[in-house]
Amino acid sequence: MKTNIYLILTLVSLMSCKSAVNKKTLWINSSKVDCVGVGPMKCLQVKFNASENWSNFYDAIEGFEYQPGFVYELEVQVDTLDKANLPADKSIYVYKLLNVVSKKQDAKLRLNDIWVATHIENKELSRVEPMPQIELSLKTMQLMGTDGCNNIRGSIKTLTDDAISFGPLLGTKKLCPNMTTPNAFNTAFEGVTSYKLDQLELMFFDNANKEVIRFKKVD
């Protein structure tokens, strides 16, 4: 009888310990961003409430395999370590995957394509001259293309459902017979802060919500 009571108490104790696990729901964005930890790195963007803004996440999640292009909702276990026994650059939190609640393809993936410019500052470009063209890669968070004269390359610094920003564009230094369109394109591109997708068209806007460049998807 005593043995049975001991087993019951042990089971109750174990069940109590299991229920005390610190569980949290965690949302993960579809792309990583540049961040600085011990050094420059790529961070996941996360939020612990669906209504929050995305924030950088510097830790790892044990058992979780991240795939760019998908928005995740995860259930995780969060353990807190004793800070006194940790190196200065070590997080006190340990995240372990319990369950993938959902994994949905991000609608922003429609950006992941080749786009040719049709308008700059609402002025239609002549189809006779070379047209600026960019290719956006959400997997590498990079862009490449041409401003109509020089080859260009840069990084996608931030990306949300409607906001986008780019790092400085690097390019070749050719001088073409007509630099009007390349110069206008590069000037307009520097001010891009948001975007809108409308079927096969991609529009970039500045911080005053003024359209600065319009693209059409390449067939």
Side-chain angles (χ1 to χ4, degrees):
M1 184 69 177
K2 289 183 178 180
T3 302
N4 289 338
I5 293 174
Y6 175 77
L7 288 173
I8 292 171
L9 290 174
T10 301
L11 288 171
V12 169
S13 176
L14 290 173
M15 291 174 66
S16 175
C17 290
K18 186 175 182 180
S19 64
V21 170
N22 186 13
K23 295 181 181 179
K24 287 186 179 293
T25 300
L26 184 65
W27 284 263
I28 297 181
N29 205 0
S30 59
S31 60
K32 293 184 177 182
V33 295
D34 292 328
C35 60
V36 178
V38 178
M41 57 187 288
K42 290 280 189 180
C43 285
L44 292 173
Q45 291 183 299
V46 306
K47 52 188 177 182
F48 291 92
N49 187 298
S51 61
E52 292 177 349
N53 293 324
W54 296 107
S55 60
N56 291 351
F57 186 74
Y58 297 88
D59 297 309
I61 302 173
E62 294 181 15
F64 173 58
E65 294 185 9
Y66 171 73
Q67 184 178 355
F70 292 88
V71 177
Y72 294 85
E73 182 181 349
L74 307 179
E75 187 179 59
V76 297
Q77 174 182 327
V78 186
D79 297 322
T80 305
L81 303 177
D82 184 356
K83 190 174 183 179
N85 299 322
L86 295 175
D89 59 349
K90 177 71 174 177
S91 172
I92 64 172
Y93 300 109
V94 176
Y95 296 84
K96 298 177 182 178
L97 177 66
L98 296 175
N99 183 37
V100 177
V101 178
S102 65
K103 177 184 177 182
K104 299 179 180 177
Q105 192 169 49
D106 194 341
K108 295 192 296 291
L109 283 178
R110 290 173 56 203
L111 287 169
N112 202 83
D113 218 313
I114 300 174
W115 304 88
V116 60
T118 60
H119 297 74
I120 298 176
E121 301 286 356
N122 284 315
K123 180 181 178 182
E124 187 173 2
L125 300 181
S126 168
R127 297 182 181 276
V128 176
E129 59 186 332
M131 308 285 273
Q133 180 174 294
I134 61 172
E135 180 178 359
L136 300 176
S137 170
L138 271 59
K139 181 176 181 180
T140 61
M141 292 295 282
Q142 298 285 322
L143 73 88
M144 62 183 69
T146 173
D147 60 12
C149 175
N150 287 286
N151 294 330
I152 55 175
R153 180 183 294 271
S155 62
I156 304 172
K157 300 293 288 184
T158 58
L159 179 62
T160 68
D161 291 338
D162 55 12
I164 192 168
S165 66
F166 300 92
L169 291 182
L170 304 177
T172 52
K173 302 295 183 182
K174 293 189 300 181
L175 284 177
C176 296
N178 187 348
M179 293 297 295
T180 301
T181 294
N183 290 338
F185 176 85
N186 288 310
T187 299
F189 205 89
E190 290 176 359
V192 170
T193 59
S194 61
Y195 72 95
K196 178 182 177 182
L197 278 165
D198 184 7
Q199 297 184 13
L200 299 180
E201 285 193 319
L202 169 62
M203 289 149 279
F204 283 161
F205 302 87
D206 63 15
N207 56 12
N209 204 31
K210 174 186 174 184
E211 182 186 309
V212 290
I213 311 175
R214 189 185 308 176
F215 295 90
K216 184 175 182 180
K217 183 177 178 180
V218 175
D219 294 334

